Amino acid sequence: MTASIHWGVDSAAPVTTKIHVPGRKPVTLFDFVVDKLKRTPDFWGRYVGGRYQMTADEVDYIFTRSKGACRILVVYNGAHDSGSSVRGNFDAGVRDARKAITAASGVGVPPGVMIWGDVEGAWQPSAQWFLGWWDAMFKSSYAGMGGIYCRPNAPQFHKPYFEAMTKSVPQEQLDHLLDPFARKPKDQIVTVVFPDPPCRARLLWGTRPQKGDWSTPSTDAFAFAPSEPPQLPGRVALWQYRIDFLKRSSGDAYGLIDMDLADQRAYDLMWKGKAGGAAVGA
């Protein structure tokens, strides 16, 4: 793994959840993961808003237990697939973003950290919702215009996302290129959107492809190659490459953690602790 790519995990359960290990005293989920995978994560994704919210005590535990080495990936999971949320209008996007901002502030997330909105793969977000989310995030003290967890190559996601992008950027960020491989005349001219400046960063956390053979992060040779949405190369800065890992038993439907890679852009916008373990900015 190169220095600019960072390995981490995310979980619905708190890192302080007690895991019962046969023949041993119960250990926390954090310690269980470190022991099993022989590596302390560079970051741990946890929720604000919605269900499974992290607490201030959990934040302190992450930073103290890792001596500041593990950052926190802040995820808002209070959105839902309905007309009052991701299928809704501009105001719905603003409401979700404000709820995320309030929840993050309530647990002590400092300014300059990016909040990632959870948009599940089967959901059908609207372009207007994205515009509202971006607007409220940009006006907040948090990083850029917020990030989105998504299935980036699913049409129900990337089509409204791209529509929103083209409506929200200045003309100098747009270009129209000829696609020599287009099968239909109407597809020969392709609109592309150049990356945002850092102050207006909009990043994606993608879930494809899944890499079931990457299971030993202490020794695996990782290559950061997530699927990207068409016409928006380079937007995926986080990659959830393996879901439902570390099941308690073979019959479990869900694993204790998902495993992720982050490029330097995403890592730099996570919540970090001091070397001694205290939260920065909280």
Side-chain angles (χ1 to χ4, degrees):
M1 188 185 305
T2 63
S4 61
I5 302 300
H6 304 269
W7 173 79
V9 305
D10 64 270
S11 68
V15 301
T16 51
T17 300
K18 293 297 184 181
I19 305 298
H20 294 273
V21 180
R24 296 175 53 187
K25 293 181 179 180
V27 297
T28 65
L29 175 59
F30 188 95
D31 289 346
F32 181 75
V33 168
V34 172
D35 181 64
K36 278 284 188 180
L37 301 182
K38 310 303 180 187
R39 178 171 177 173
T40 298
D42 295 331
F43 60 91
W44 197 299
R46 286 288 289 120
Y47 293 133
V48 295
R51 300 173 64 192
Y52 312 115
Q53 297 185 71
M54 67 176 167
T55 64
D57 287 343
E58 189 181 354
V59 170
D60 289 341
Y61 186 89
I62 292 171
F63 290 143
T64 301
R65 192 65 176 160
S66 71
K67 298 181 180 179
C70 181
R71 299 186 181 187
I72 298 176
L73 170 63
V74 180
V75 191
Y76 173 67
N77 73 326
H80 43 90
D81 190 28
S82 75
S84 61
S85 187
V86 301
R87 293 196 188 202
N89 58 15
F90 182 93
D91 290 340
V94 170
R95 283 195 302 271
D96 274 328
R98 287 177 176 171
K99 289 178 182 177
I101 291 161
T102 299
S105 178
V107 78
V109 180
V113 170
M114 180 163 280
I115 301 173
W116 300 76
D118 182 356
V119 176
E120 293 293 323
W123 293 4
Q124 298 183 46
S126 73
Q128 286 298 312
W129 184 87
F130 287 123
L131 291 170
W133 171 271
W134 293 333
D135 184 74
M137 281 295 173
F138 183 66
K139 292 175 180 176
S140 77
S141 63
Y142 293 109
M145 301 172 81
I148 299 290
Y149 170 89
C150 63
R151 188 181 301 168
N153 54 354
Q156 68 267 25
F157 175 82
H158 70 71
K159 288 182 178 180
Y161 190 86
F162 183 74
E163 178 186 342
M165 290 288 287
T166 58
K167 289 180 177 179
S168 64
V169 299
Q171 284 299 310
E172 56 265 27
Q173 273 188 255
L174 293 175
D175 201 356
H176 306 282
L177 305 177
L178 177 65
D179 181 1
F181 302 105
R183 296 184 178 181
K184 300 178 182 179
K186 68 181 182 65
D187 297 327
Q188 286 183 344
I189 302 300
V190 178
T191 300
V192 296
V193 183
F194 296 123
D196 297 308
C199 67
R200 297 177 64 86
R202 288 171 284 193
L203 301 175
L204 297 177
W205 176 7
T207 62
R208 293 293 186 275
Q210 290 288 294
K211 304 288 286 188
D213 55 327
W214 293 355
S215 58
T216 313
S218 60
T219 57
D220 284 339
F222 294 105
F224 192 77
S227 297
E228 298 273 6
Q231 298 169 255
L232 290 170
R235 295 315 198 282
V236 177
L238 268 165
W239 177 16
Q240 188 182 70
Y241 67 86
R242 186 163 188 182
I243 63 172
D244 291 325
F245 192 55
L246 292 184
K247 295 183 178 181
R248 298 179 198 234
S249 69
S250 59
D252 283 358
Y254 301 104
L256 293 168
I257 60 169
D258 304 318
M259 299 209 289
D260 307 275
L261 296 178
D263 72 12
Q264 197 65 41
R265 295 172 298 171
Y267 186 69
D268 285 345
L269 297 176
M270 294 179 193
W271 187 4
K272 61 183 178 180
K274 296 178 181 178
V280 174

